[in-house]
Amino acid sequence: MVASSVLGFPRIGANREIKKVVEAYWAGKTNAEEVTKVAAEVKKLNWTELKQRGVTHIPSGDFSLYDHVLDHSAAFNAIPKRYHGLGLSPLDTYFAMARGRQADGVDVPAGEMKKWFDSNYHFLVPELDDTVEFKLNFNKPLEEFKEAQALGITTRPVVLGPITYLALSKATKEAKADFEPISLLPKLLPVYKQLLSELKAAGAEWVQVDEPILVTDKGASFETQYGSAYPELVAVAPKLLLTTFYGRLESNVNFLAKLPIAGLHIDLDRAPDQLDKTISAISSTPIILSLGVVSGRSVWKTDFAAAIKLVQKAISALGQDRVIVATSSTILHIPVTLASENKLTEEQKDWFSFALEKASEVATIAAVVSGSQDAAVAAALEANHTSIAKRRDFEKNSDDSVRKRVSSITPDQYERKSPFAVRLEAQKVLNLPKFPTTTIGSFPQTKEIRQARAKLGKNELSEAEYEEFIKKEIESAVRFQEKIGLDLLVHGEPERNDMVQYFGERLSGFVFTQNAWVQSYGSRYVRPPIIVSDVSRKEPMTVRWSEYAQSLTNKPMKGMLTGPVTILNWSFPRVDISRELQAQQLALALRDEVCDLEAAGIKAIQVDEPALREGLPLRRADWDSYLNWAGNTFKLSTAGVGDHTQTHSHFCYSDFDDIFPQIQRLDADVISIEASKSDMKLINTFKHYGYSNNIGPGVYDVHSPRVPGDVEIQERIKSMLAYLDQTLLYVNPDCGLKTRGWKETEASLVNLVQAARWARENYA
Ligand SMILES: [Zn+2]
């Protein structure tokens, strides 16, 4: 019998139980025991469901209250000094590292968050230097292994591999100049050995060790470390399954095949072509091959016929005992279950497969290739065949007018009419002072706003009543900004549930779910829409709100849109046509919206591309092609306006070294970027390359409820001005404020305006 496996499961709960309980804990409304209890219930349900669906290798240890990388840092005692001696419980120290803490005389910022590989999941970057004293504070995989064992379920514990853990880490500010986190490997290995040997003693047969760094270009540089570390680990551990996912191993497979590991997992969803090479690399070894044929990243049903073909190939080369059918990666990237969706049509439901359904898929494929004669397996195979055929039929219905418009895009549609210097003059009509202050667009999504939206959904509020409510919210946001003295205003986006969902709901070609949440970071979950057919705009989507907001004030109002690449990257895309074609369709729809905003008297229009970088392929060889079409679609969406209209864009990250020329090529009049959590390295990048347009590096971190003082913001501005032209600097927070409360928002923005005033006086 061929084994089946799921590499990791959503840890949010089918009804977002974890979000609810940790947020209640943060608010002081519940205690740590309750958090543990709810977590145990969620884990139990996950394990039980996977077992019932016939999965043979069930993950444990992959659960997290916030982030699994942070779990490792906490377990390994890699706790930065600023969190020491605060008198906090281990759980509160953990949450302080995750989100900062400002209470009872304690004031510490959160750690840096980064996107996890090419996904929209964020992890907490471990901070290390030579002084770190690694030790095993607790053995989370062991605890969860035992927890499952007590329920009669044997699991395969999951740990993040030591080399990937160190490769994702950064040096602390105190570290020596030439310090590289990977140099700590010899110091870290004893901790892994202890962790693994305890699992072995507890009876674990397998342990899954995730080493996704191996699918990046960086992976090859760790060949020596893999060669030295894994033999040591294998000597004390249960059978080790080294997993790689999100991309292709390329030549790394050659040194991996020489390791004494029991199993190797490869991603055949992202890189089906690597199967042959992997088989030949391991065929003369005893290594078991785990085949990621069921996508952990896509919500579309697996085409069983195609998956089975790949698995059969491996079986004929290696034999049944040396093959595991698996999800391509952890499936934390997809929603828990299709069973919670009541509003999708039967036809639509038949296209998709969420986490629990994917679990059934791996089990079914494993049964089929094992030669199962079970009638239920045969029926599942037949049903899949029918579903896939129906979807293929549906895909034939393309929108001819959209396809035609895309194929007749001309090069001049990508470019603004005049160069930046000319536009800068024309944009004096906005009448902005030096160091203009602005925000990224969203204001706190309060309980009242969410309630009004929910009431509208349940018809407890009429469209007209809802509209009145939103208008009042916009008016109060405008008055607030006028009162505290911001220069370039926003309407606050009370009408938007989400920066992608809102647009998806107004465009043709998307479907929406009711409960299909996925974790973005911590307790922040998103519900990505699904692109199912060609995309077009039915009517203006945002114009009347921006127009209304502008009518309330003499200050300029920014129109706010989400860019084509971000809508694409934060949706579940189609898999039957290219991402480029989907982005072009989105860009044309947005171009019409941008031009309509301009015609309605909006002088500044922001098209956000926070997800541009996360879409970057993991292998550099694939970058140019992605950056070329991604950049072009942004330009296509914004370049239709006159010189006097100021275009803005926003990026939620700070790694620009790699993609700087592309950011310049976008030619937005103003960009705002995340900068508060990373040091000035980012700003240095802009100086180094000589960025020519306006720029607003975030002056404080909005992902934490902490309020920055005005002097702290002054210091940031001062250090930025050491690198940037003072005539081009904008002053803004580093991201939208929708997840914040009003109290900290007001206090922070008052300090921000104060600091900009200080800058005007001191840099006259
Ligand atoms: Zn942002």
Side-chain angles (χ1 to χ4, degrees):
M1 178 79 189
V2 174
S4 57
S5 116
V6 165
L7 266 54
F9 199 75
R11 70 274 284 240
I12 64 179
N15 294 302
R16 292 182 287 159
E17 289 85 350
I18 299 302
K19 176 189 181 71
K20 289 168 196 162
V21 77
V22 298
E23 289 184 352
Y25 178 76
W26 296 337
K29 289 177 187 152
T30 191
N31 55 32
E33 289 69 40
E34 183 64 17
V35 175
T36 308
K37 196 181 123 210
V38 173
E41 283 160 7
V42 167
K43 284 181 272 186
K44 179 181 173 184
L45 201 65
N46 291 350
W47 291 325
T48 314
E49 281 278 3
L50 292 183
K51 190 177 178 183
Q52 278 168 1
R53 284 164 194 263
V55 175
T56 52
H57 290 215
I58 297 168
S60 64
D62 59 320
F63 177 83
S64 182
L65 289 173
Y66 202 97
D67 163 45
H68 61 277
V69 181
L70 182 65
D71 293 338
H72 285 73
S73 298
F76 297 164
N77 202 39
I79 300 169
K81 295 205 173 59
R82 63 182 178 280
Y83 306 106
H84 293 193
L86 299 178
L88 301 175
S89 70
L91 184 62
D92 287 340
T93 301
Y94 174 83
F95 284 136
M97 288 163 76
R99 53 197 297 274
R101 186 180 177 101
Q102 196 170 37
D104 314 324
V106 171
D107 185 357
V108 278
E112 184 186 356
M113 244 179 351
K114 261 194 184 172
K115 303 240 158 157
W116 173 252
F117 293 86
D118 60 351
S119 78
N120 183 30
Y121 176 79
H122 303 60
F123 72 98
L124 266 296
V125 182
E127 296 170 44
L128 303 172
D129 60 36
D130 284 324
T131 66
V132 66
E133 300 278 351
F134 288 126
K135 63 174 182 187
L136 196 59
N137 285 333
F138 52 91
N139 191 337
K140 187 167 158 289
L142 177 69
E143 287 162 20
E144 291 189 13
F145 177 76
K146 286 182 175 166
E147 207 175 323
Q149 211 169 30
L151 300 164
I153 299 170
T154 305
T155 55
R156 183 174 81 191
V158 181
V159 290
L160 182 59
I163 296 167
T164 296
Y165 175 79
L166 291 173
L168 295 176
S169 301
K170 66 171 185 181
T172 64
K173 286 198 182 95
E174 296 76 33
K176 290 194 212 99
D178 60 347
F179 171 78
E180 294 279 353
I182 193 69
S183 67
L184 295 174
L185 185 60
K187 250 175 116 173
L188 181 59
L189 278 184
V191 176
Y192 270 89
K193 280 156 87 176
Q194 183 188 344
L195 183 152
L196 293 168
S197 58
E198 286 176 9
L199 280 167
K200 190 176 185 176
E205 185 193 355
W206 282 93
V207 173
Q208 173 185 326
V209 187
D210 291 342
E211 290 282 13
I213 200 71
L214 284 160
V215 306
T216 68
D217 290 335
K218 229 176 163 183
S221 67
F222 300 125
E223 177 174 351
T224 321
Q225 284 84 357
Y226 278 99
S228 64
Y230 274 79
E232 273 195 57
L233 298 179
V234 166
V236 297
K239 287 194 249 177
L240 288 191
L241 175 76
L242 188 152
T243 59
T244 66
F245 38 84
Y246 306 139
R248 53 185 193 270
L249 281 171
E250 296 187 355
S251 61
N252 296 341
V253 74
N254 300 325
F255 69 77
L256 292 178
K258 290 182 194 139
L259 299 181
I261 50 177
L264 174 66
H265 173 88
I266 53 171
D267 186 333
L268 294 178
D269 171 47
R270 284 287 176 84
D273 294 345
Q274 65 179 342
L275 179 60
D276 291 342
K277 212 172 158 186
T278 311
I279 290 175
S280 69
I282 65 157
S283 60
S284 61
T285 74
I287 294 174
I288 289 175
L289 190 57
S290 169
L291 306 166
V293 289
V294 168
S295 176
R297 299 291 293 271
S298 142
V299 291
W300 295 91
K301 225 169 224 179
T302 304
D303 180 347
F304 282 5
I308 288 167
K309 217 170 142 188
L310 291 173
V311 179
Q312 298 285 23
K313 194 177 205 178
I315 290 176
S316 49
L318 304 170
Q320 278 202 3
D321 298 344
R322 283 185 63 193
V323 168
I324 302 175
V325 175
T327 56
S328 64
S329 65
T330 167
I331 44 179
L332 80 85
H333 307 291
I334 50 182
V336 177
T337 177
L338 209 45
S340 319
E341 301 304 326
N342 303 315
K343 290 202 174 153
L344 295 176
T345 64
E346 284 308 311
E347 180 189 28
Q348 291 164 348
K349 257 184 142 168
D350 193 42
W351 296 334
F352 308 128
S353 178
F354 293 172
L356 281 174
E357 294 77 33
K358 300 259 176 188
S360 298
E361 289 185 349
V362 289
T364 304
I365 295 170
V368 173
V369 297
S370 305
S372 164
Q373 298 298 313
D374 188 334
V377 172
L381 186 62
E382 184 53 35
N384 178 272
H385 181 76
T386 310
S387 304
I388 297 293
K390 278 196 200 153
R391 172 66 201 173
R392 295 290 169 268
D393 266 349
F394 178 87
E395 285 160 0
K396 290 178 189 143
N397 307 314
S398 61
D399 182 333
D400 293 341
S401 62
V402 171
R403 297 282 175 115
K404 210 163 153 188
R405 202 174 163 204
V406 168
S407 62
S408 49
I409 295 169
T410 53
D412 61 294
Q413 286 180 291
Y414 294 122
E415 304 303 332
R416 294 288 294 270
K417 291 171 187 69
S418 310
F420 175 70
V422 176
R423 301 193 316 257
L424 194 60
E425 276 304 302
Q427 288 162 20
K428 287 189 172 153
V429 294
L430 272 83
N431 222 352
L432 293 170
K434 197 170 174 181
F435 304 118
T437 53
T438 189
T439 58
I440 307 303
S442 61
F443 277 136
Q445 287 264 327
T446 57
K447 197 168 81 194
E448 290 71 26
I449 294 176
R450 288 197 303 270
Q451 276 169 354
R453 192 178 301 133
K455 280 187 184 165
L456 175 72
K458 289 185 231 156
N459 292 323
E460 288 168 22
L461 213 60
S462 71
E463 283 285 348
E465 286 165 332
Y466 179 72
E467 182 125 350
E468 264 326 291
F469 171 83
I470 294 295
K471 280 187 166 172
K472 285 212 178 79
E473 286 290 323
I474 292 176
E475 182 167 11
S476 84
V478 170
R479 298 296 166 242
F480 163 75
Q481 295 170 85
E482 285 180 326
K483 183 185 86 186
I484 67 167
L486 283 159
D487 302 310
L488 178 54
L489 309 196
V490 297
H491 75 285
E493 304 174 20
E495 81 288 8
R496 301 194 191 170
N497 37 16
D498 174 87
M499 64 183 289
V500 169
Q501 191 183 344
Y502 181 83
F503 291 95
E505 282 170 351
R506 280 152 187 81
L507 292 163
S508 302
F510 285 79
V511 300
F512 289 86
T513 59
Q514 288 165 285
N515 202 32
W517 299 95
V518 291
Q519 187 183 21
S520 172
Y521 65 87
S523 68
R524 170 128 177 92
Y525 307 163
V526 292
R527 201 168 38 163
I530 310 173
I531 306 178
V532 297
S533 53
D534 287 341
V535 174
S536 62
R537 189 182 76 147
K538 292 175 264 194
E539 57 188 2
M541 302 180 282
T542 64
V543 176
R544 68 196 175 105
W545 297 122
S546 292
E547 206 172 8
Y548 172 70
Q550 183 65 84
S551 76
L552 300 171
T553 178
N554 293 324
K555 288 200 169 174
M557 178 66 55
K558 260 198 291 192
M560 300 297 311
L561 302 172
T562 304
V565 182
T566 297
I567 295 183
L568 179 70
N569 282 343
W570 287 354
S571 299
F572 288 111
R574 296 166 68 171
V575 286
D576 60 306
I577 61 170
S578 71
R579 287 162 72 217
E580 176 178 8
L581 177 54
Q582 294 175 73
Q584 286 170 325
Q585 294 179 356
L586 283 161
L588 288 171
L590 289 163
R591 184 180 175 97
D592 295 344
E593 185 75 9
V594 167
C595 292
D596 285 350
L597 281 168
E598 180 184 53
I602 303 300
K603 296 187 179 71
I605 301 165
Q606 181 169 317
V607 177
D608 284 345
E609 283 293 18
L612 183 73
R613 193 186 194 289
E614 86 184 28
L616 202 60
L618 294 170
R619 293 282 187 184
R620 196 172 275 261
D622 306 330
W623 283 15
D624 282 355
S625 130
Y626 165 77
L627 286 170
N628 193 38
W629 67 253
N632 279 347
T633 53
F634 174 86
K635 293 175 71 149
L636 182 62
S637 64
T638 52
V641 292
D643 290 346
H644 57 283
T645 298
Q646 187 179 58
T647 59
H648 289 238
S649 192
H650 169 65
F651 307 94
C652 291
Y653 40 82
S654 50
D655 270 354
F656 283 94
D657 272 335
D658 300 333
I659 59 166
F660 187 86
Q662 288 296 328
I663 298 297
Q664 178 77 63
R665 191 173 78 91
L666 298 181
D667 200 22
D669 293 308
V670 187
I671 60 168
S672 56
I673 53 183
E674 182 178 307
S676 59
K677 270 196 282 195
S678 56
D679 0 13
M680 285 297 142
K681 184 173 146 252
L682 153 80
I683 315 292
N684 202 9
T685 306
F686 280 78
K687 180 189 161 98
H688 174 77
Y689 288 101
Y691 189 71
S692 60
N693 300 12
N694 294 301
I695 173 171
V699 294
Y700 78 90
D701 172 18
V702 308
H703 298 95
S704 151
R706 190 177 164 273
V707 174
D710 62 331
V711 176
E712 184 179 325
I713 300 177
Q714 284 173 22
E715 288 303 320
R716 291 219 161 266
I717 295 176
K718 208 195 283 178
S719 50
M720 286 168 187
L721 286 172
Y723 296 98
L724 300 170
D725 181 339
Q726 49 170 289
T727 62
L728 299 177
L729 188 73
Y730 276 57
V731 179
N732 46 258
D734 74 352
C735 204
L737 297 158
K738 68 181 161 208
T739 58
R740 294 274 64 90
W742 267 110
K743 211 174 131 205
E744 72 245 22
T745 296
E746 173 157 13
S748 303
L749 291 177
V750 163
N751 290 347
L752 177 147
V753 169
Q754 192 67 32
R757 265 191 211 124
W758 167 89
R760 269 166 224 146
E761 282 157 20
N762 285 275
Y763 295 86

PDB file of all heavy atoms in Angstrom, residues 438-456:
ATOM      1  N   THR A 438       0.880  62.023   4.680  1.00  0.00           N
ATOM      2  CA  THR A 438      -0.255  61.285   4.161  1.00  0.00           C
ATOM      3  C   THR A 438      -0.297  59.923   4.843  1.00  0.00           C
ATOM      4  O   THR A 438       0.579  59.591   5.642  1.00  0.00           O
ATOM      5  CB  THR A 438      -0.180  61.162   2.617  1.00  0.00           C
ATOM      6  OG1 THR A 438      -1.416  60.617   2.121  1.00  0.00           O
ATOM      7  CG2 THR A 438       0.969  60.260   2.174  1.00  0.00           C
ATOM      8  N   THR A 439      -1.334  59.149   4.556  1.00  0.00           N
ATOM      9  CA  THR A 439      -1.411  57.784   5.089  1.00  0.00           C
ATOM     10  C   THR A 439      -1.546  56.840   3.899  1.00  0.00           C
ATOM     11  O   THR A 439      -1.724  57.277   2.768  1.00  0.00           O
ATOM     12  CB  THR A 439      -2.614  57.604   6.036  1.00  0.00           C
ATOM     13  OG1 THR A 439      -3.794  57.916   5.311  1.00  0.00           O
ATOM     14  CG2 THR A 439      -2.486  58.491   7.254  1.00  0.00           C
ATOM     15  N   ILE A 440      -1.467  55.572   4.172  1.00  0.00           N
ATOM     16  CA  ILE A 440      -1.433  54.599   3.074  1.00  0.00           C
ATOM     17  C   ILE A 440      -2.827  54.322   2.514  1.00  0.00           C
ATOM     18  O   ILE A 440      -2.970  53.779   1.426  1.00  0.00           O
ATOM     19  CB  ILE A 440      -0.721  53.301   3.517  1.00  0.00           C
ATOM     20  CG1 ILE A 440       0.650  53.621   4.105  1.00  0.00           C
ATOM     21  CG2 ILE A 440      -0.577  52.305   2.384  1.00  0.00           C
ATOM     22  CD1 ILE A 440       1.592  54.393   3.193  1.00  0.00           C
ATOM     23  N   GLY A 441      -3.862  54.701   3.239  1.00  0.00           N
ATOM     24  CA  GLY A 441      -5.196  54.599   2.640  1.00  0.00           C
ATOM     25  C   GLY A 441      -6.293  54.151   3.582  1.00  0.00           C
ATOM     26  O   GLY A 441      -7.325  54.783   3.665  1.00  0.00           O
ATOM     27  N   SER A 442      -6.077  53.070   4.313  1.00  0.00           N
ATOM     28  CA  SER A 442      -7.174  52.577   5.143  1.00  0.00           C
ATOM     29  C   SER A 442      -7.066  53.124   6.557  1.00  0.00           C
ATOM     30  O   SER A 442      -5.977  53.327   7.079  1.00  0.00           O
ATOM     31  CB  SER A 442      -7.174  51.055   5.165  1.00  0.00           C
ATOM     32  OG  SER A 442      -5.970  50.568   5.716  1.00  0.00           O
ATOM     33  N   PHE A 443      -8.247  53.363   7.155  1.00  0.00           N
ATOM     34  CA  PHE A 443      -8.315  53.714   8.575  1.00  0.00           C
ATOM     35  C   PHE A 443      -8.937  52.545   9.328  1.00  0.00           C
ATOM     36  O   PHE A 443      -9.431  51.606   8.702  1.00  0.00           O
ATOM     37  CB  PHE A 443      -9.106  55.014   8.753  1.00  0.00           C
ATOM     38  CG  PHE A 443      -8.257  56.241   8.533  1.00  0.00           C
ATOM     39  CD1 PHE A 443      -8.716  57.319   7.793  1.00  0.00           C
ATOM     40  CD2 PHE A 443      -6.977  56.304   9.058  1.00  0.00           C
ATOM     41  CE1 PHE A 443      -7.921  58.432   7.585  1.00  0.00           C
ATOM     42  CE2 PHE A 443      -6.170  57.418   8.860  1.00  0.00           C
ATOM     43  CZ  PHE A 443      -6.650  58.479   8.118  1.00  0.00           C
ATOM     44  N   PRO A 444      -8.894  52.582  10.664  1.00  0.00           N
ATOM     45  CA  PRO A 444      -9.361  51.421  11.420  1.00  0.00           C
ATOM     46  C   PRO A 444     -10.726  50.908  10.968  1.00  0.00           C
ATOM     47  O   PRO A 444     -11.660  51.678  10.784  1.00  0.00           O
ATOM     48  CB  PRO A 444      -9.418  51.956  12.854  1.00  0.00           C
ATOM     49  CG  PRO A 444      -8.332  52.977  12.900  1.00  0.00           C
ATOM     50  CD  PRO A 444      -8.364  53.644  11.549  1.00  0.00           C
ATOM     51  N   GLN A 445     -10.766  49.600  10.747  1.00  0.00           N
ATOM     52  CA  GLN A 445     -12.052  48.961  10.457  1.00  0.00           C
ATOM     53  C   GLN A 445     -12.658  48.627  11.808  1.00  0.00           C
ATOM     54  O   GLN A 445     -12.351  47.605  12.413  1.00  0.00           O
ATOM     55  CB  GLN A 445     -11.847  47.695   9.624  1.00  0.00           C
ATOM     56  CG  GLN A 445     -11.475  47.973   8.183  1.00  0.00           C
ATOM     57  CD  GLN A 445     -12.682  47.947   7.242  1.00  0.00           C
ATOM     58  OE1 GLN A 445     -13.625  47.204   7.448  1.00  0.00           O
ATOM     59  NE2 GLN A 445     -12.649  48.771   6.200  1.00  0.00           N
ATOM     60  N   THR A 446     -13.516  49.523  12.285  1.00  0.00           N
ATOM     61  CA  THR A 446     -14.054  49.375  13.639  1.00  0.00           C
ATOM     62  C   THR A 446     -15.137  48.310  13.689  1.00  0.00           C
ATOM     63  O   THR A 446     -15.624  47.849  12.661  1.00  0.00           O
ATOM     64  CB  THR A 446     -14.679  50.702  14.100  1.00  0.00           C
ATOM     65  OG1 THR A 446     -15.679  51.059  13.151  1.00  0.00           O
ATOM     66  CG2 THR A 446     -13.630  51.803  14.171  1.00  0.00           C
ATOM     67  N   LYS A 447     -15.508  47.980  14.907  1.00  0.00           N
ATOM     68  CA  LYS A 447     -16.590  47.019  15.127  1.00  0.00           C
ATOM     69  C   LYS A 447     -17.862  47.535  14.444  1.00  0.00           C
ATOM     70  O   LYS A 447     -18.592  46.783  13.811  1.00  0.00           O
ATOM     71  CB  LYS A 447     -16.816  46.885  16.643  1.00  0.00           C
ATOM     72  CG  LYS A 447     -17.604  45.667  17.029  1.00  0.00           C
ATOM     73  CD  LYS A 447     -17.539  45.419  18.525  1.00  0.00           C
ATOM     74  CE  LYS A 447     -18.528  46.323  19.239  1.00  0.00           C
ATOM     75  NZ  LYS A 447     -18.343  46.423  20.683  1.00  0.00           N
ATOM     76  N   GLU A 448     -18.102  48.842  14.549  1.00  0.00           N
ATOM     77  CA  GLU A 448     -19.309  49.428  13.961  1.00  0.00           C
ATOM     78  C   GLU A 448     -19.322  49.204  12.444  1.00  0.00           C
ATOM     79  O   GLU A 448     -20.353  48.887  11.863  1.00  0.00           O
ATOM     80  CB  GLU A 448     -19.376  50.940  14.247  1.00  0.00           C
ATOM     81  CG  GLU A 448     -19.637  51.304  15.707  1.00  0.00           C
ATOM     82  CD  GLU A 448     -18.450  51.035  16.639  1.00  0.00           C
ATOM     83  OE1 GLU A 448     -17.286  51.047  16.161  1.00  0.00           O
ATOM     84  OE2 GLU A 448     -18.675  50.788  17.835  1.00  0.00           O
ATOM     85  N   ILE A 449     -18.136  49.372  11.824  1.00  0.00           N
ATOM     86  CA  ILE A 449     -18.082  49.198  10.369  1.00  0.00           C
ATOM     87  C   ILE A 449     -18.354  47.743  10.007  1.00  0.00           C
ATOM     88  O   ILE A 449     -19.138  47.443   9.105  1.00  0.00           O
ATOM     89  CB  ILE A 449     -16.704  49.653   9.818  1.00  0.00           C
ATOM     90  CG1 ILE A 449     -16.537  51.168  10.004  1.00  0.00           C
ATOM     91  CG2 ILE A 449     -16.548  49.272   8.354  1.00  0.00           C
ATOM     92  CD1 ILE A 449     -15.180  51.712   9.592  1.00  0.00           C
ATOM     93  N   ARG A 450     -17.726  46.845  10.745  1.00  0.00           N
ATOM     94  CA  ARG A 450     -17.941  45.420  10.435  1.00  0.00           C
ATOM     95  C   ARG A 450     -19.387  45.013  10.679  1.00  0.00           C
ATOM     96  O   ARG A 450     -19.963  44.237   9.920  1.00  0.00           O
ATOM     97  CB  ARG A 450     -16.976  44.558  11.266  1.00  0.00           C
ATOM     98  CG  ARG A 450     -15.518  44.662  10.780  1.00  0.00           C
ATOM     99  CD  ARG A 450     -14.666  43.525  11.314  1.00  0.00           C
ATOM    100  NE  ARG A 450     -14.692  43.462  12.776  1.00  0.00           N
ATOM    101  CZ  ARG A 450     -13.832  44.105  13.577  1.00  0.00           C
ATOM    102  NH1 ARG A 450     -12.863  44.824  13.049  1.00  0.00           N
ATOM    103  NH2 ARG A 450     -13.926  44.004  14.881  1.00  0.00           N
ATOM    104  N   GLN A 451     -19.983  45.581  11.738  1.00  0.00           N
ATOM    105  CA  GLN A 451     -21.385  45.257  12.026  1.00  0.00           C
ATOM    106  C   GLN A 451     -22.307  45.762  10.929  1.00  0.00           C
ATOM    107  O   GLN A 451     -23.214  45.052  10.496  1.00  0.00           O
ATOM    108  CB  GLN A 451     -21.805  45.872  13.366  1.00  0.00           C
ATOM    109  CG  GLN A 451     -21.427  44.988  14.546  1.00  0.00           C
ATOM    110  CD  GLN A 451     -21.596  45.691  15.889  1.00  0.00           C
ATOM    111  OE1 GLN A 451     -21.896  46.877  15.947  1.00  0.00           O
ATOM    112  NE2 GLN A 451     -21.382  44.953  16.967  1.00  0.00           N
ATOM    113  N   ALA A 452     -22.051  46.987  10.470  1.00  0.00           N
ATOM    114  CA  ALA A 452     -22.900  47.551   9.421  1.00  0.00           C
ATOM    115  C   ALA A 452     -22.814  46.686   8.166  1.00  0.00           C
ATOM    116  O   ALA A 452     -23.821  46.400   7.510  1.00  0.00           O
ATOM    117  CB  ALA A 452     -22.472  48.990   9.117  1.00  0.00           C
ATOM    118  N   ARG A 453     -21.595  46.236   7.858  1.00  0.00           N
ATOM    119  CA  ARG A 453     -21.414  45.405   6.659  1.00  0.00           C
ATOM    120  C   ARG A 453     -22.153  44.076   6.826  1.00  0.00           C
ATOM    121  O   ARG A 453     -22.810  43.596   5.911  1.00  0.00           O
ATOM    122  CB  ARG A 453     -19.919  45.171   6.429  1.00  0.00           C
ATOM    123  CG  ARG A 453     -19.605  44.583   5.070  1.00  0.00           C
ATOM    124  CD  ARG A 453     -18.101  44.419   4.880  1.00  0.00           C
ATOM    125  NE  ARG A 453     -17.405  45.682   5.010  1.00  0.00           N
ATOM    126  CZ  ARG A 453     -16.313  45.872   5.742  1.00  0.00           C
ATOM    127  NH1 ARG A 453     -15.772  44.875   6.415  1.00  0.00           N
ATOM    128  NH2 ARG A 453     -15.757  47.055   5.809  1.00  0.00           N
ATOM    129  N   ALA A 454     -22.047  43.515   8.026  1.00  0.00           N
ATOM    130  CA  ALA A 454     -22.726  42.237   8.280  1.00  0.00           C
ATOM    131  C   ALA A 454     -24.239  42.410   8.191  1.00  0.00           C
ATOM    132  O   ALA A 454     -24.940  41.575   7.618  1.00  0.00           O
ATOM    133  CB  ALA A 454     -22.331  41.708   9.657  1.00  0.00           C
ATOM    134  N   LYS A 455     -24.723  43.531   8.719  1.00  0.00           N
ATOM    135  CA  LYS A 455     -26.172  43.786   8.666  1.00  0.00           C
ATOM    136  C   LYS A 455     -26.645  43.945   7.228  1.00  0.00           C
ATOM    137  O   LYS A 455     -27.727  43.482   6.864  1.00  0.00           O
ATOM    138  CB  LYS A 455     -26.517  45.048   9.465  1.00  0.00           C
ATOM    139  CG  LYS A 455     -26.601  44.801  10.962  1.00  0.00           C
ATOM    140  CD  LYS A 455     -27.122  46.044  11.656  1.00  0.00           C
ATOM    141  CE  LYS A 455     -27.129  45.870  13.162  1.00  0.00           C
ATOM    142  NZ  LYS A 455     -27.285  47.170  13.843  1.00  0.00           N
ATOM    143  N   LEU A 456     -25.831  44.614   6.424  1.00  0.00           N
ATOM    144  CA  LEU A 456     -26.194  44.767   5.012  1.00  0.00           C
ATOM    145  C   LEU A 456     -26.292  43.380   4.374  1.00  0.00           C
ATOM    146  O   LEU A 456     -27.236  43.083   3.644  1.00  0.00           O
ATOM    147  CB  LEU A 456     -25.146  45.611   4.286  1.00  0.00           C
ATOM    148  CG  LEU A 456     -25.343  45.761   2.770  1.00  0.00           C
ATOM    149  CD1 LEU A 456     -26.528  46.679   2.471  1.00  0.00           C
ATOM    150  CD2 LEU A 456     -24.083  46.322   2.097  1.00  0.00           C
TER     151      LEU A 456
END
